[in-house]
Amino acid sequence: VLRVKAVIAVLVLIQILFGINFTPSKIVVTEISPFFWSNIRFLFAGVILLFISLIMRRPHPKVTKEFLLPLIPLSLLGMSVGQSLFMLGLRQTSSINTAVITTTIPILTLAISIMRGKDSITMLKAIGVSLAFIGVLTIKGFENINFSVQTLKGDFMVLLASMCFALFLSFSGEYVKKYDNFWVTTWMFLISGVLMFIFNFSHWMNFSSINFT
């Protein structure tokens, strides 16, 4: 019972952090490249998690092709490509539009899982997704939502990012259960950070001159 409550508490905390992420991220990506900002986050997070994993002496999964091969596509979907599209889209639309569009993630995840034969629709799931969507619309305020030609490109990028994350959630479930999730997350961050570093090399060379204030 305590374990279930702890899991629920962590999930609630994740959603709260995800919810307050929109406005600060909107401010940051107007100042620096969204792609570079994602790179900074992933690279530093990967290094920090690597140190924590080593300090905690968590047993590393056996290095096999079954462990290594899925890491790259999952890293691309959940982090490199998905988060880059999210940040690029956020730069060209409003934080409110972004929050509304990302509520499609559980809907898309469920749809993909159903198509893969890994899940099925139930009344409880349908009610849960509907309440979540209505809740976001109510909190953000219907009158503040503004989908227009000016935000179309950004809205579409955020939708693509939501699709990437939905694919990640659907395909990563079994993989994460099979291996230590701490090490899996660490390697996903590091892989994403290194891959994005290659494309952001010029930005890193000018990193000290960036004004974050």
Side-chain angles (χ1 to χ4, degrees), residues 8-22 24:
I8 293 175
V10 170
L11 290 173
V12 171
L13 177 61
I14 291 172
Q15 292 304 310
I16 292 173
L17 294 174
F18 188 69
I20 63 177
N21 172 58
F22 298 113

Side-chain angles (χ1 to χ4, degrees), residues 102-122:
T102 53
T103 58
T104 62
I105 292 175
I107 300 172
L108 293 171
T109 304
L110 181 59
I112 293 168
S113 297
I114 291 173
M115 287 188 288
R116 295 179 60 220
K118 300 294 184 180
D119 208 338
S120 59
I121 186 69
T122 64

